[in-house]
Amino acid sequence: MEYAYYPGCSLHVMSSEYDVSTRAVLARLGVTLREIPDWFCCGASSAHMTDAVLTDALPAKNLALAVKVNQRIAVPCAACLHRLKKTDHKLKNDDALLKNVNESIKDNYQGNAQIKHPLEIIQDDLKTEELSEKITRPLNNLKVACYYGCLLVRPAEAAIDDAENPERLDRLMNLLGAETINWGFKVECCGAGMTLAHKESIIGLAGRILNDAILNEADCIAVACPMCHTNLDLYQDQMDLKRKVPILYFTELLGLALGLDYNSLEIDKHIVPAKGMLLEKGLV
Amino acid sequence: MPRTGVFVCHCGSNIAGKVDVETVAAKALNFDRVVFSTTYKYMCSQPGQEVIKKAVRDNNLDRIVVAACTPNLHGKTFQRCIKTVGLSPYLSEMASIREHCSWVHTDPDEATGKAIELVRLATAKVRKNVALLPLNIPVTRRALVIGGGIAGIQSALDIAAAGFEAVIVEKEPSVGGRMAQLDKTFPTLDCSACILAPRMVEVATNEKVIIHSYSKIEKITGSVGSFEVQIKKKARYVDLGKCTGCGTCTEKCPVKVDSEFNLRLSTRKAISTPFPQAVPNVPVIDPHHCRYLTLGKCGVCQKVCQAGAVNYEDKDEIIIEKVGAIIAATGYDLFDPKKYGEYGGGRYRDVITGLQFERLINASGPTGGEITRLSDGKTPKTIVFIQCVGSRDEQKGKPYCSKICCMYTAKQTILAKEHIPDVQCYVFYIDIRAGGKNYEEFVKRAQTDYGAVYIRGRVSKLYEQEGQIMVKGMDTLLGEEVEIPADLVVLATAIVPRREARTLAQKIGLSYDQHAFYNEAHPKMAPVENLTLGIYLAGACQAPKDIPDSVAMASAAAAKICGLFSRDFLSIDPIVASVAETCCVGCNTCVAICPFKAISMEIRKDRTGQERQVATVNTSLCQGCGTCLPNCRSRCISLNNWTTDQLYAEVMTI
Amino acid sequence: MSEGFTPNLIGFFCQWCSYLGADLAGTNRLCYPANIKIIRIPCTGRIDPQFILRAFLNGADGVLVSGCHPGDCHYTAGNYFARRRMQVFKDLLNFMGFDQERLIMTWISASESKKLVKVVEQFNETITRMGPQKQLVLPTR
Amino acid sequence: MSKQFSSENIARLNAEILVKCGVDLKECYQCGKCSAGCSSNWMMDYRPHVIMRLAQLGQRAAILASQAIWVCTGCEICSARCPRGIDVAAVVDSFRQLAVAEDVRYGEHDIPLFHQYFLKETRDHGRVRELPLVANFKIHSEHPLSDFALGPTLLAKGKIKLVDDAKGSGVNDLQELFKLKV
C-alpha cells in the first residue's frame, strides 16, 4: 500500500514528532509514504479567512502536485486535511470552478484525489486482526481521553467520522488495550489557528477541554491534529488546572503499542512531559 | 350541431390583471362551434352564474366553457349552474387560465396568448362531450374507523349515535391510542384517563360499534358506498370470549420485556394488557418473547387460567367487513431523537422525550407518578425542557411546527412543579405558539404561578458532567450564552405520522404529503375529506393536532358519513368505462389489467347462435382510471368524459 | 441554434397529482415558461401513445407526461402501466430515428410545485436547444 | 443610537452574501443554535446569530468593523448544527474577506495581522517558518512582549528552529494571486 504524503507546515518543524511517529507506525504497518516534492502550505485558516481566491487555489495546487505522486494522499494534519478535502469536494462537484481554479494555478488537477487521514488508513485499509497481531505492548491500565476537535469531523464532506459522537480514535485506543472515557468535549474547538494570534482563545477553550479530561480522570489526551496538540500542550502552565495532562499523538501511543523505541518517537518534544506517566503505566 | 358558449372570468384582477380577457373572449368566437362569448368580473359569483344561465337560454347554447380558475376549485360550481337551466352538467369544461396561466407567467402578452390556447383546447374538448346520467349506487350503511384513539372512538360513537354501525380496527391490543399514555391534559389539567376511560367503556359497550383490536387492515377494495375490507386479526392466544380479565396469567408469567406502552421506561410480561384500563381488558401473548411459543416450555399462563382462555394454537385470522365509508384516524408517532448527536443521540439516560415524561408523571406509570432520573433514581431539582426537537429543523427533522409541543411543555412544567415543589424548570423555545382557547393564559400561568423560566433560543449541545446533563444554550433575547446543569432534560420531539401511514395509504388509495400526513381534499373547504370519495380523515394523521381539534375533526368526519348514509343510493359521477360489445374480441387483456377487477368476461350469442366472450364493466367497481383503454386491441373500450374522441380533439388543436 | 425559437410543449398531467401540482404552482405564484399547455387526464394509465404521436404530428416540439410517484397512484397501478407503455413507445420512437428526448415522463406529486417548475424549465431548455421538431410534422402544417 | 434600515442596503447585502458563499440570509430564523454552540461566543461583541441578524438587515459596516468575525476560530460547529442548513461559518468567512479586501479598520487588530504574516510566509517561502512568523507578527502586534518567555522552551524542545530550510517551490505558480499588503 502506497500513499503520497502531505505533512504540512506544522509537521515540518513545530510538530515534527507527529511526522516522525506517523512515518514510523505506517512503515511498521506496511504502508509506504512518498512525500510530495515541493509541497507547500495549504493556506490553513489564514487563506479562507481572508481571501476567496487563495481559499481554493492553495489546496488545489497541492492536490495537483500530489496526484503526480499518487492519487491516494495521506494527510496527518487535521487542518490541512480539512482544507484539501473541502476544496477537493468543491472541485469534484463544480466543473466551472475546477476550470477556473486550474487556470489560476497553471496546472491541470482532474478532481481525482483520494484524501485520507492516517487514522482512516489504519482502520479502513488494514485488517484489524493484522493490527492486533502486531501489538507487543498493549496499553493496559491507560485511561485515554480521545479528542477529535473540529476539523476532523466537520463539515460532512471533509469529515472522517460522526460530527457529534465520533468513535474512530476510541475504537483504535480500545484495540490497543487502553480504556477510553466518555466525555462531552470530543468535538469542541480548542482554538485552532489562534495559538499565536489570540492566546485568550486558547487559554479559555483548551482550558475547558483539559478540565473535563481531568474531571473524567484521564491519564492523557490522544489527538490526531498538530494544532489540537499545540493548543492543549503549550499553555497548561498558564491555565487554572488541578494537574497537568500529557497530550499524545495517537501515532505515538500506537507506536508504543507496536513496540517502537520510546526515543525514536520523540515524545520528549512535548511541553507537558509524558514520560513519567508512561513509565508509571509500564509503557516505556 | 353543438353550440358552445365561452365565459371568461376576470377573477377580479387575479386573471384580468395579467390576461387581456376581452381579447380572449373575442378570439374564442373564432373557435369551432363557438357561438357566444363574454367576460365577467367573478364568474363563480351568483350574478356571474346568472350571466351564464341567461346566455344559455338566450343563445340556445348546449355546451359551455368557463375560462377561470382550476376545475378542481369550481368545476362542480359551473356543472350545477347549467344543470339549473336544463343542461347536462357534463356538457361543461373549464380552462384554467388562473392557476395555469395568469398566476404563473409574467409577460401579459404571453399569458394572454396562452389563455387563448387553453380556451381553444377546452372548446375542442367540450364539443365532443356528451350528456351523461349520474350513477346511482347503493350505500352500505356501516363505517370503518381505522384507529381506536380518541379520534376514532369519537367518530365511532357519533356514527353509532346516528343509528349506523361503526367498525373500529385498532392495531394495539387495546383502544385508547396516545391519549391513554398522557397524564393530564392542557389547558384544563383534566386527568387524561379520567376523561378517556368513560369513552372507551362507552365504545366497548355500544351495540352499534364493533371493535377489532390487535388487528390490521390487509386490503381494501371497492369504492364509496361499498368497500370491502380485509382485516387481519392477529393471534391473541387468549380467547376474547372466555377471558375474565382477572390478570393472574400476567402476574405469574416469568418473562419480562420492555414495555412499549411505557416507552421502555419499565417492563411488561410476555402475556399482558398494555395498561390497566385496557379495552378489551383481555391480555395478548407476545409470540416473540413467550417461552412456550418460542421454546415450547413453560405454559404457566395456561395452567393458571381458570377460565381456560389461553390457547397456544391460536392463529392469525382474516375477516371481511363490508362498509360504505371509511375514516382514517391513525394518529401519530414521535420523531426519533437519535438523529440529534448533539443531544446525546439516545446515549444519555437522563435525556428523555416528552411522551416518556408523561409516563413518568402518570400515577399508573412505571414509577407510580414519581419523577425520577433513570440513571440513579434520584428526584430531579432542575429540569430543562427543549422544544422543537425535530420540528422546524430542516436538517435533522421536519420543516413544520408540531403545534402541540408548546402547550404540553407548559403543562409538564406545571405538573413537575406540582410533583416536586422545589424543582426549577427551564424551557428553551424559539417561538411560543399558544393559539387556542385559554392556551396563552395557560402558558402565562406556567411562567407566573409555577415559575418556569422561558429562554428564547435553541440548545446547541447536551453533555454529561459529574452526573448532570450540561445544557449549552443561548438566550437570544439577552444575547448571552447560558449553561445549565440539569438533572433531567425533556425533549419535545416532533409529531410525525405513524410508521405504517404510507403503507396503509397505498393500500387504501389515500393521498398523502411528503411527510406521509394524509391530504385533505381541500385545505379550507374540505378539511376532513380525502380526495378519494368515501374516505374521511380525523385527528393527527392529517397534521399535528391536539385533543380538542382531533375530537372536533372526528365528529365532523362522522357527520359527513351520516350525511352519506342518509340516503339509500348515492349519486356519483358516471366516470366509468364501457365496452362496445360488438367490437370486443374477448382477448382478456383488460380483465388482467384492471386494478379494480371491474372487468369480467361474459358469454354472448350472436345472431347465428354462435357463442363468444366479451368484456363487461361492473360500473360500481370501475373507478374510471382508463388504464384499460390504451391496451384494448380492438379499441372498443370507452371512458366517460375522457373518451378518445375528446382527448383527441384536444390534441388535434395544439 | 434556433434564435428566438419558442418550443410548443404539451403536458399530459394526471388529475390527482401533477395537475394539482400545477394548481399549487399557481397558488404559490411560482413562475415557469408560458409555452407549455397542460392537458388534464384522469391517470397516466389513460394515455394512449397515439395521443403523443398525434401531438408531435400536430406540431408539438416536446411532450411531457407526468403522473403520481410509484406507489402513489390513485388507482394503485395506472402509473406503472404508463411507465411500461412509455418505455416501449420510446423504444419505438428511437427505432424510428426520432429524438426520444422530446418525450419525457416524470413523477410530480400534488405538493411538488417547485419540482414542476424545475422540470418544465429544464425540459423547455432542452427542447429550445434541440430546435423545432421536424421529424414527425404533417406536411400540411 | 438606533439602527438605520434601508431596503437597498438589505437587498444589496443579501445579494452580496448569496454570490460570495451561496447562503440566503433570509433563511435564518434566529433560533440562536449557532451562538449557543459557538466555541468563541464568550469573546465576541456580536454573537453569530446577531451577525446573521445584522446581515439580514443590511448592517454591513457594523459587521465589518466587529471583533467577532476575527475571534471566530472557524470550527464550523455553527454550520454543522444549523437547523436551516445555513453555512454560518462561510458567511463569517465572507465578511472577513470583505473586511480585508476593503481595508476597513478591523474591530480586532492582532488576528488579521497574524493571517497576513502567515500568508506572507506562504507567499515568500512556500512553507510557513515558525520563527520569522512569530517574530514578524509579535513586533507588529499590540502585545509584542507577551509569551516572550516561551521562546527558550520552544527552542530547547525543537519546536522552533533558528534556521529553517523551509521551501516549497510549487507556490511560485501562484505568486500573482497573492494580494498581500505586507
Side-chain angles (χ1 to χ4, degrees), chain B residues 334-356:
Chain B
L334 286 176
F335 178 81
D336 183 358
K338 281 209 174 63
K339 276 194 185 171
Y340 279 83
E342 65 268 46
Y343 295 170
R347 282 175 292 135
Y348 305 143
R349 295 198 70 197
D350 295 324
V351 178
I352 60 174
T353 66
L355 199 56
Q356 284 179 318

Side-chain angles (χ1 to χ4, degrees), chain D residues 84-120:
Chain D
R84 286 272 166 97
I86 301 170
D87 192 346
V88 184
V91 174
V92 175
D93 269 354
S94 299
F95 280 117
R96 281 190 279 235
Q97 291 167 10
L98 287 172
V100 170
E102 293 169 24
D103 217 5
V104 296
R105 198 169 161 277
Y106 305 130
E108 150 72 40
H109 176 261
D110 284 359
I111 299 170
L113 191 75
F114 172 81
H115 292 317
Q116 283 176 31
Y117 281 105
F118 188 97
L119 288 177
K120 179 182 184 307

Side-chain angles (χ1 to χ4, degrees), chain D residues 2-71:
Chain D
S2 59
K3 290 256 182 276
Q4 301 290 310
F5 297 157
S6 87
S7 52
E8 296 91 70
N9 287 347
I10 291 172
R12 200 178 308 134
L13 190 56
N14 273 271
E16 193 173 11
I17 294 301
L18 188 63
V19 170
K20 253 192 113 50
C21 61
V23 169
D24 181 354
L25 293 170
K26 297 187 290 299
E27 291 259 350
C28 172
Y29 66 170
Q30 289 288 302
C31 70
K33 197 176 184 186
C34 49
S35 298
C38 176
S39 320
S40 310
N41 54 17
W42 47 285
M43 293 181 287
M44 292 174 168
D45 47 0
Y46 298 129
R47 306 299 196 272
H49 78 282
V50 180
I51 294 279
M52 291 299 291
R53 185 70 187 144
L54 287 167
Q56 282 181 330
L57 295 169
Q59 303 294 306
R60 196 173 187 277
I63 302 172
L64 292 190
S66 75
Q67 155 261 17
I69 57 173
W70 293 108
V71 296

